[in-house]
Amino acid sequence: MTALGSSGTALIDALKARLGESYVLTAAGDIEGHITEARGLYRGEALAVVRPKNRDEVAFVLQECAKAGVPVVPQGGNTGLVGGGVPYGGVVVSLTRLDGIREIDPVNATITVEAGCILKTVQDAASDAGYLFPLSLASEGSCRIGGNLATNAGGTAVLRYGNMRELTLGLEVVLADGRIWDGLKGLRKDNTGYDLKDLFIGSEGTLGIITAAVLRLFPKPHARVTAFIGCESPYDALKVFQRLREAAGDQLTAFEYIPEFGIEIVLKHMPGSVRPLAERHNSYALIELSSPQKDADLQSQLEAVLGEAFEEGLVQDAVFGSSETQSQALWGLREHLSEVQRMEGGSIKHDVSVPVSRVAEFIDVATKACEAEMPGVRVCAFGHFGDGNIHFNLTQPVGMDKAEYLGQWERFNRIVHDIVHGMNGSISAEHGVGLIKRDELMLYKDAVALDLMRSLKRALDPQNILNPGKVVSIGDNAPAALPK
Amino acid sequence: MTALGSSGTALIDALKARLGESYVLTAAGDIEGHITEARGLYRGEALAVVRPKNRDEVAFVLQECAKAGVPVVPQGGNTGLVGGGVPYGGVVVSLTRLDGIREIDPVNATITVEAGCILKTVQDAASDAGYLFPLSLASEGSCRIGGNLATNAGGTAVLRYGNMRELTLGLEVVLADGRIWDGLKGLRKDNTGYDLKDLFIGSEGTLGIITAAVLRLFPKPHARVTAFIGCESPYDALKVFQRLREAAGDQLTAFEYIPEFGIEIVLKHMPGSVRPLAERHNSYALIELSSPQKDADLQSQLEAVLGEAFEEGLVQDAVFGSSETQSQALWGLREHLSEVQRMEGGSIKHDVSVPVSRVAEFIDVATKACEAEMPGVRVCAFGHFGDGNIHFNLTQPVGMDKAEYLGQWERFNRIVHDIVHGMNGSISAEHGVGLIKRDELMLYKDAVALDLMRSLKRALDPQNILNPGKVVSIGDNAPAALPK
């Protein structure tokens, strides 16, 4: 823990007086889980971790911290992958006690939730009311809505339903000086001035602390079909994707790409998993069509498109998950991918996107470039193909020292991000910037855009106390990007 | 024309030297169409109207105006309904010469267009490439994409495809000081920092001048069915809407509300139009289902839902537009509504939205309140029911003096906007703020939101030269909101 000066002590006392002793944590053991993060890449420090129970208490914390000039780092489930929630001094504001579902309005198809709600809880509440809340990601059982909003979370349902941004109609936000913006409207159309909501979404806690949101709900899908196809190349997979989009429109709810290497390591490390097709193929795609119509004949539609693609050699083999169990088995292959990479040793990761028209070319070109750079490196390029979003991960060569391999992180960043940049893509598609990509962003982001970001940060947080040093740095209190 | 000081003369000379004499208009006759607006509510003034041919010339104009401290008002088709494009001194930047379609990427399903493209031209280009660009509004033959972006345009396709904001992936913007932000990316996922794009969209030219955009395209609908239903009340119409949304999901592409008074005046003023149902009903809805699947059996789906609603008395009568001609006739009733109101005398207009769950109640309550306020006033509440967006227009009592009636504009504003505000709605759903609602906004918008808007305006336009006095006022050079 950082040593407390007298002003720090006064701040902690003020926070304890308002929130209660038990909600202002300062003991090393109590704050440990809040100063580290999921991948073990960063270890920060904090004066205290506070656990306010409502927006007024959050506002109080920010007022006091602003007066004292002490930084504030908001945290939800602390499941982020870019170090955005790691504090470097100051106070961590944990939103976990703001976990109420304030309202479900079935006719408006909206749900109003507090920032500390676990994503799974929101999905379940929507489902109980007969609706779908579509955001779906690996950490849904522990990540929280505030974090999903702060990072504009993506996941497997973006193709059909959009990112967290598109799923959000209104916000309640506590500003740097403790004022509260009540923008909790559930409107489809509202052109009364600047789009404040979208400025806070994806700003990773650097412009304000989101305390609640109005989210969109959708009719539940009542028909669903899954297929798993094998292709000669990502180029062929892309042609299949295009045909499906044209034929099925928004009934196409997933098109996830998996390479042969991905299947191999899932089969190796996941007991009970079964190779889905008889032969090996270079490229696979997990396809899902769904519809709110109970009697929608999705399988015939999918068979028609895939049948034609098979005749032309674009699809080499396919299997349908006609029952819920079969579907789940196919989805399991995709969902285990993150986990099994860890079991194969060090993994250097890139969360990138390109225009969908270039996604096959990107996989091809970047794979060859990385294999040429380090013979034996094993490319695991998978993910949200239909969004142009690939998790371009590089598993270490067999037998290489893990630490030595991970030391090459920046060398591979340069290769992969240069290719992405050359294709007018993004070096952070869905995970955000945080600390891990803050300095990398300086290399690739338009200089005027970076200037605009700094102007906005200065306008909304002139003291630079909101999660300072993350996303874009405007002060000298920024931590180094990669502390060991 | 405003009298030119010597610095004004120097500015005009500099603009002529770069753009060419013929693209810097100063003669009264040449600029007349740019200092007035569609409804004849405002008449402004301008030093000059300039017609740059590309973004670099736009940047030059802004650099020079910034140096001279002269305001700049961007204009597209000048079809806006809130006075947002009316200049009060300074230079009008007309974007009409930036009318190129830079690229269509069919696999990425995007089109890159310049700000001066007419909306209809973009729709046609998309269609020629086999895609749909869904934005659709009454002025589509003359409004331009830059204006659609600046006002976050809505229209009849929002229910399925979203506002202009949701249709936009990337922007190119010239800033107040003439710098260019190149954000022309066509990515579905990009979490590299603050959402600059959405800050400029809907800012009505007060934060920057949009010069180009990457827009989303969609699969063309190949099946379509239209129906026109008569209901006892908006409450019944809302129940039908909810059932259709649940059953048809995104195949429900329009649900437009029309009152009996609307049908009456269309029939009265539009030769050849025919009452769609045998009897009169209080409330009507124009419903459209569409699908990219050629063989989608939309009519059966629609019949099933409407049949059940008929049995329960929610629908009193219905007719299907099974052919393209029948469909067009039904749509015609809706599309002529704006026009025929003018023929019935003075009309006091409100473009408002409420949560969809309260749209029927809003129509009911606001209608009664206005009828009680002025017996004989004829309520024409119509529009995008499925978005909660009603054009709540009030046609003058028969025989009343038009000018005397229009003098009651603010009195009715107060009644209608108070009801909207009480339902957590918006006093400008799709038309924007401009001049006409700037001062009204001060009454209804959250004070913290207004403060945030002013902070953003100061951060991005510290000299207050971009369309000053529109949307939110930060200087004393703001024109009065309702000049006569």
Side-chain angles (χ1 to χ4, degrees), chain A residues 62-137:
Chain A
L62 267 75
Q63 281 161 21
E64 293 300 309
C65 287
K67 270 194 268 175
V70 167
V72 172
V73 180
Q75 256 181 28
N78 198 18
T79 59
L81 297 171
V82 292
V86 180
Y88 288 87
V91 170
V92 173
V93 179
S94 170
L95 281 301
T96 52
R97 290 176 71 211
L98 282 82
D99 63 351
I101 290 179
R102 291 196 195 162
E103 189 195 7
I104 294 181
D105 180 342
V107 184
N108 198 39
T110 48
I111 185 169
T112 305
V113 302
E114 295 185 341
C117 280
I118 289 175
L119 172 52
K120 182 74 168 54
T121 307
V122 178
Q123 293 169 345
D124 290 347
S127 181
D128 290 347
Y131 284 83
L132 171 75
F133 180 66
L135 189 75
S136 178
L137 21 126

Side-chain angles (χ1 to χ4, degrees), chain A residues 105 108 151-152 160 179 185 189-192 194 206 250-251 353 356-357 425-426 428 430 445 451, chain B residues 105 108 151-152 160 179 185 189-192 194 206 250 293 353 356-357 425-426 428 430 445 451:
Chain A
D105 180 342
N108 198 39
T151 58
N152 184 28
R160 163 64 185 83
R179 283 179 303 161
K185 284 183 188 281
K189 285 180 168 175
D190 181 12
N191 278 347
T192 54
Y194 305 153
T206 65
D250 266 354
Q251 295 180 125
S353 68
V356 179
S357 48
S426 166
S428 185
E430 59 176 11
K445 187 95 176 174
D451 265 2
Chain B
D105 180 341
N108 198 40
T151 59
N152 184 29
R160 163 64 185 82
R179 285 178 303 161
K185 286 185 188 279
K189 285 181 171 175
D190 180 11
N191 277 347
T192 54
Y194 305 153
T206 64
D250 267 354
Q293 282 178 259
S353 67
V356 179
S357 46
S426 167
S428 186
E430 59 176 12
K445 187 97 176 174
D451 264 2

